[in-house]
Amino acid sequence: MTHLVPPAIPASVFDGEQVPGLVGGPVTGRFAVGGADVVMGSAGTVIIAEAWDVPDRSGVWSAGEVRLIGPAPDPVRERLVGQPGGRTGSPLPIHLAVRSGEGILYLGTARVGRACLSGDVLTDCALRLDSPLRTDVLDRVRPPLPSADLPGLEWLGEVEGDRAAALERFVIGWYPADGPVTAGSPSAPTGALPAGLRQFYRLAEARPQVLGVQNGILPGPDLRTTRLGKMLVFGTENQGGFDWCLRWPPDGSEADPAVWFLEPDEEPVAEQEPLSGFLIQFSLFEAAVGAKYTAMSGNLPAAQVEQLVRPLHPVPLRAFWPWAPTRFHVAPGLVLHVSPGYSGAYDVWAGATHRSALAPLADHPIDWTRFDG
């Protein structure tokens, strides 16, 4: 059989009669996955999504990524990622397209970049386009989301004064509450803990994600002392590479105690900010890392970073995290952190509550590893 040559220009229009040519002959399977059609044949796969921007539905996520949101039927999982514990996914080409008012727009070929499974079920699959979409094409196949009210920066003015108020305003503005606060929650210990940490646990009662998505503040029942009992471990790195600690037991002379960074078999190192500043920094870092919409790039020269952060507001705190001293810059609905990379360069990571909050970063000539704007 003669196979149809895919359209040469991304977002050119084709019709359903061309699909058999792309999949290599008769269609052997057709499935609906999260609002997208997955059409399979002996020589390829065509995935046709809708022209929308709905985070929990299949569709174009960014200029370089289309997401297939499951659960996906077993044949789709086997075609894209293989069988559990067995072979990998098929090497057959994957063609992506979007259905819009203009017809079916062909986007190009892609490969599986990330796949999430729950048991044997494919729940989320990120497909990386071999040729990223131009901005004008992206706006056709992923119509812009409606504008949103972004979390403000009122908290920023409190950082150099009332840090407890700054923390509370940031957390409440950034995270919607999961539900009413439950009195006596086990995540909110009292007793001898410093006031700042008690406040943090109170905020986490209605917003448990505040405890962290990359690294974490330990839930109250999991607080522990170090082997010699001289420090209280209250935070930990996600792979156990280090802990954050307080001197224990407290001597009562420090209302805002130092936070100690502790690696296994190493002497503790004090964070540059005491607990009140540390908890703001921890919250900013985790907000950026755990955000739905992110932008990241690495090994940027200092001059380029200075241009990038110029329209943003610096957070007036000393550097966070002795492993990679990190500073924060913010805008409404946006947190960006900058940390040292290799050979005098820098890594940047931004997280946003809405795509539109990434707009201040969009016009910079940066080779983004990921950009969800």
Side-chain angles (χ1 to χ4, degrees):
M1 169 174 287
T2 300
H3 292 176
L4 179 72
V5 177
I9 303 174
S12 55
V13 178
F14 71 109
D15 58 46
E17 294 181 358
Q18 293 175 285
V19 170
L22 293 176
V23 301
V27 170
T28 59
R30 184 186 296 270
F31 306 90
V33 183
D37 293 328
V38 180
V39 185
M40 299 191 305
S42 61
T45 303
V46 174
I47 298 174
I48 305 174
E50 298 292 333
W52 56 24
D53 191 359
V54 183
D56 59 353
R57 303 286 282 170
S58 300
V60 176
W61 181 257
S62 67
E65 182 177 310
V66 172
R67 289 186 178 177
L68 192 66
I69 306 296
D74 288 349
V76 175
R77 182 209 67 218
E78 291 175 9
R79 173 63 63 95
L80 296 179
V81 300
Q83 299 191 26
R87 61 177 176 82
T88 58
S90 169
L92 299 176
I94 301 170
H95 301 274
L96 301 182
V98 167
R99 185 181 293 107
S100 75
E102 303 172 61
I104 299 176
L105 307 181
Y106 181 79
L107 304 184
T109 55
R111 64 193 185 283
V112 175
R114 185 195 71 250
C116 299
L117 292 95
S118 176
D120 294 347
V121 178
L122 178 64
T123 59
D124 184 355
C125 185
L127 300 160
R128 312 291 190 196
L129 282 156
D130 294 324
S131 297
L133 304 176
R134 301 190 312 265
T135 300
D136 62 314
V137 174
L138 180 62
D139 288 342
R140 291 164 64 190
V141 298
R142 192 202 65 189
L145 284 169
S147 60
D149 292 331
L150 300 175
L153 297 179
E154 295 82 3
W155 62 272
L156 189 60
E158 304 278 9
V159 171
E160 294 184 288
D162 187 346
R163 289 183 173 180
L167 175 65
E168 184 161 352
R169 284 189 174 191
F170 172 76
V171 167
I172 290 174
W174 189 273
Y175 297 103
D178 280 1
V181 174
T182 303
S185 167
S187 68
T190 55
L193 293 180
L197 197 52
R198 295 201 305 271
Q199 176 205 21
F200 193 84
Y201 282 123
R202 286 195 299 270
L203 291 169
E205 289 177 12
R207 297 168 172 83
Q209 61 270 47
V210 172
L211 294 176
V213 294
Q214 174 76 9
N215 305 317
I217 301 297
L218 296 175
D222 296 338
L223 294 173
R224 64 181 188 273
T225 56
T226 55
R227 182 171 57 85
L228 298 179
K230 295 182 179 181
M231 286 194 170
L232 178 75
V233 177
F234 72 92
T236 189
E237 194 257 348
N238 67 92
Q239 296 181 349
F242 62 82
D243 295 322
W244 283 298
C245 309
L246 299 171
R247 294 289 187 190
W248 200 256
D251 62 11
S253 63
E254 290 185 296
D256 192 12
V259 174
W260 296 88
F261 177 91
L262 182 61
E263 297 179 80
D265 303 319
E266 299 289 341
E267 289 296 315
V269 177
E271 287 278 356
Q272 293 192 44
E273 289 290 341
L275 182 64
S276 62
F278 168 85
L279 291 173
I280 295 172
Q281 293 171 320
F282 175 88
S283 299
L284 291 169
F285 187 90
E286 294 300 316
V289 172
K292 182 179 294 183
Y293 305 103
T294 62
M296 63 188 77
S297 187
N299 291 321
L300 298 179
Q304 197 167 25
V305 173
E306 289 173 7
Q307 289 290 327
L308 182 67
V309 303
R310 185 166 294 171
L312 309 180
H313 300 271
V315 177
L317 294 168
R318 290 167 289 187
F320 169 67
W321 201 17
W323 262 9
T326 298
R327 293 190 179 273
F328 299 90
H329 302 262
V330 295
L334 175 73
V335 174
L336 180 144
H337 60 76
V338 180
S339 56
Y342 295 103
S343 302
Y346 294 87
D347 299 331
V348 298
W349 184 308
T353 58
H354 189 273
R355 287 195 197 279
S356 62
L358 293 171
L361 314 180
D363 294 333
H364 292 272
I366 288 176
D367 184 15
W368 296 102
T369 305
R370 171 174 172 176
F371 190 84
D372 292 338

